[in-house]
Amino acid sequence: MTHAATPGATAPADPLSAATGAAESSDATAPRPRTAAYLDLDKTVLATSTTFALGTPMHCSGLISTTALARGVVAQLPYLLLGADEDHTSRLMDQLAALNAGVERSRLQEVVSDAMATAIEPAVYAEALDLVEAHHRAGHDVVIVSASIIEVVEPIATLIGADRAVATRLETDAEGRFTGRVERSLLHGAKVEALEADTAEHGIDLARSWAYSDSISDRPMLEAVGHPVAVNPDRELRRLAEQLDWPVRDFERPVNLRRPLQPTIPRPNLAPVRAIPSAVLPLRWELVVNTGVLTGVAALTATAVAAGRR
């Protein structure tokens, strides 16, 4: 597919200006298919990982036991720090689903709702909010597409003003409890299938649509649309974007939605770390530095160890 990467590699403040201008100059009498913007969640909309942001609230609420939390952290460490292939990440998804076996879906939704103000709202990128507003001004649907579970993704989509969410679904029994099995996973190429289903349901033209992601694992989703954009890309995706002349945008301003007028707290200067030659860095060190995953792992591990000692 030949991508019409309208925004350009330097990514202007409003990446939709050229595209909307072209649309307005077309035949106004001809029926036009709908357009959508599909946004990944972690490190694209949020400056954190939803898994780690909500891990501690779920543990404190009793949804996840100390033992289960420790096992979950141990299971994720090798893959977060060293990378993982499709088989490994699929097994990890199954392990995380198993942690929720027996949990009432309504209880999980309640815990997520209570944790939004402290765990999620302060981590939303201001640039992502600007992007959502720009797409809405252009008359586009905004859809969050994430491998996280729908009970987590849907309220975040509502929070930022997206029109809907497409996410992983866990199986529930007749009483509304999770069985510990995955009903529909959005790992890897499954996001493309989800996009195709969304386009069929809502009359979206993928060739006119946009996709935003930070991860090379979302390459199939980015290649499925006419306007792919790499946001805070990992090393492999940044390289690919340069090769294919895709726009690259770096979001840096998380904003607390409850206090939008407060000045943004300056972020630590990571320039010295990023200046280290890439050959010296471990395979996923850039991912760890840029997403705060290491901090999340350390926090969860400390919580689990401390609780185990009591």
Side-chain angles (χ1 to χ4, degrees):
M1 176 187 297
T2 300
H3 300 290
T6 306
T10 56
D14 184 352
L16 305 176
S17 56
T20 54
E24 290 170 359
S25 64
S26 63
D27 185 356
T29 62
R32 286 183 292 177
R34 294 172 66 182
T35 301
Y38 295 100
L39 282 72
D40 178 47
L41 186 57
D42 295 349
K43 208 186 166 216
T44 302
V45 171
L46 300 180
T48 187
S49 159
T50 51
T51 300
F52 288 104
L54 295 172
T56 298
M58 289 178 68
H59 171 63
C60 293
S61 70
L63 285 183
I64 298 180
S65 68
T66 299
T67 301
L69 178 63
R71 287 175 179 171
V73 170
V74 170
Q76 292 185 70
L77 275 173
Y79 310 128
L80 288 170
L81 300 182
L82 302 176
D85 57 26
E86 292 192 16
D87 289 340
H88 285 153
T89 49
S90 294
R91 284 201 296 271
L92 176 57
M93 175 69 77
D94 291 337
Q95 290 172 347
L96 294 177
L99 292 179
N100 290 294
V103 173
E104 293 183 356
R105 183 173 185 267
S106 60
R107 175 61 178 144
L108 174 60
Q109 291 173 314
E110 178 184 343
V111 171
V112 171
S113 177
D114 291 343
M116 289 288 286
T118 56
I120 299 298
E121 291 183 13
V124 176
Y125 280 121
E127 295 94 336
L129 296 177
D130 294 340
L131 196 62
V132 170
E133 182 182 356
H135 276 289
H136 278 155
R137 285 200 310 267
H140 302 165
D141 288 10
V142 176
V143 186
I144 302 300
V145 183
S146 174
S148 296
I149 58 176
I150 191 68
E151 290 79 12
V152 170
V153 178
E154 204 162 48
I156 298 175
T158 300
L159 175 72
I160 68 168
D163 296 286
R164 55 187 175 276
V166 181
T168 292
R169 292 185 180 273
L170 302 183
E171 182 183 80
T172 56
D173 60 21
E175 285 73 39
R177 293 184 175 87
F178 294 115
T179 65
R181 293 185 293 270
V182 178
E183 179 179 304
R184 183 190 70 178
S185 169
L186 256 64
L187 287 173
H188 312 301
K191 283 189 177 181
V192 175
E193 298 174 6
L195 260 62
E196 291 172 346
D198 186 78
T199 60
E201 181 178 355
H202 297 279
I204 303 295
D205 182 0
L206 279 180
R208 297 168 55 92
S209 295
W210 303 69
Y212 300 84
S213 178
D214 69 289
S215 174
I216 190 64
S217 65
D218 281 334
R219 177 176 181 173
M221 180 178 78
L222 293 168
E223 291 181 329
V225 301
H227 303 284
V229 181
V231 176
N232 296 337
D234 58 31
R235 183 167 47 188
E236 295 173 75
L237 180 57
R238 189 177 292 273
R239 185 183 302 119
L240 179 68
E242 291 173 354
Q243 292 172 351
L244 299 180
D245 198 27
W246 290 353
V248 174
R249 301 195 65 186
D250 293 297
F251 292 173
E252 298 180 347
R253 297 184 293 122
V255 57
N256 192 327
L257 297 183
R258 289 182 178 270
R259 291 175 295 178
L261 299 181
Q262 294 289 332
T264 303
I265 298 175
R267 301 180 72 195
N269 180 14
L270 298 179
V273 175
R274 294 193 179 105
I276 300 174
S278 59
V280 179
L281 300 173
L283 181 62
R284 294 294 179 188
W285 181 246
E286 289 179 347
L287 176 65
V288 174
V289 170
N290 290 333
T291 63
V293 164
L294 186 59
T295 301
V297 172
L300 287 176
T301 304
T303 301
V305 172
R309 288 175 175 171
R310 287 199 290 267

